[in-house]
Amino acid sequence: DIYNSITKTHYDPEMPDSDRKGLKKFVDVKEALGDLPVVYPGQDASTDEFNYPCDNEFLKAIGKPGIHPLMDHICRKHNDVDRERFRVMIKNRWSFGEMRKARPDHARVFDNSYVVQWWDLPSKTIIAHLHKDGFQFIHPDYEQARTFTVREAARIQSFPDDFVFKGSRGEKYKQI
């Protein structure tokens, strides 16, 4: 009842066209994260001088155009096996369950162990478990083959780009 009483402003990608009237298009991962610099596992792409384009409605709402610091765009380290799993899933646009069936050599226990957040769809809501491993928030870029950074997770949850998180990386994920 509570969920149904919430006034919806954006449509769901699975919503029939007949129900979309008067609603805005959902914010997809590309709109939310597409302007951020590439960062590979174990690297830090944070900078004091990031040129924020703020070239879509979402970015205009959470940031301001111009040169500003980009904080917490630091990627976890990932082992080669996980990075290969990420690449296979992204390249084939597979869920983890689909990958397990097609590539049993990449098996793991749970089908929701790894979840790619696709460029053209909204991201799943960031969960508290993200501080542990992040495998449910795999970046959609095949080349980067990694999980979300703190800054990316913050953007998905609509934190302003100048919002400062304190503590260790794990504590920052928990704050988000």
Side-chain angles (χ1 to χ4, degrees):
D1 289 341
I2 292 172
Y3 179 77
N4 289 330
S5 71
I6 297 170
T7 302
K8 290 157 186 64
T9 56
H10 294 72
Y11 64 81
D12 181 298
E14 297 176 9
M15 187 181 282
D17 288 342
S18 59
D19 293 343
R20 295 180 180 189
K21 186 176 181 182
L23 299 177
K24 296 178 185 179
K25 179 189 170 281
F26 55 85
V27 176
D28 62 36
V29 171
K30 184 77 169 180
E31 290 169 310
L33 308 181
D35 68 315
L36 292 173
V38 169
V39 60
Y40 295 102
Q43 291 184 340
D44 183 350
S46 304
T47 178
D48 290 333
E49 296 185 355
F50 179 66
N51 189 5
Y52 287 87
C54 295
D55 57 359
N56 65 51
E57 187 177 328
F58 177 76
L59 293 179
K60 287 176 186 170
I62 66 163
K64 54 187 179 220
I67 308 287
H68 306 285
L70 173 65
M71 300 171 282
D72 298 315
H73 195 45
I74 305 165
C75 187
R76 292 178 164 111
K77 293 180 181 177
H78 299 296
N79 67 46
D80 292 340
V81 172
D82 285 331
R83 293 197 71 211
E84 181 58 20
R85 286 176 176 146
F86 300 164
R87 285 187 191 101
V88 168
M89 290 175 64
I90 295 166
K91 183 177 179 183
N92 294 291
R93 200 168 171 105
W94 284 341
S95 69
F96 189 70
E98 291 168 322
M99 183 182 68
R100 284 180 54 207
K101 289 176 187 153
R103 297 280 309 269
D105 57 314
H106 286 308
R108 194 169 157 164
V109 179
F110 303 107
D111 281 352
N112 67 350
S113 294
Y114 294 76
V115 180
V116 177
Q117 304 303 316
W118 304 109
W119 283 127
D120 60 339
L121 294 173
S123 174
K124 306 292 186 220
T125 301
I126 301 297
I127 56 174
H129 179 78
L130 182 62
H131 78 280
K132 292 187 179 186
D133 63 29
F135 291 152
Q136 291 186 20
F137 294 90
I138 299 169
H139 193 278
D141 180 15
Y142 172 87
E143 295 294 325
Q144 294 180 63
R146 62 173 178 81
T147 58
F148 280 4
T149 67
V150 167
R151 182 53 45 199
E152 289 166 335
R155 277 201 176 178
I156 292 300
Q157 290 299 100
S158 303
F159 280 92
D161 277 334
D162 61 358
F163 193 95
V164 177
F165 298 95
K166 298 289 187 179
S168 69
R169 180 171 43 204
E171 290 167 339
K172 291 175 182 182
Y173 280 121
K174 286 180 189 178
Q175 292 167 43
I176 295 165

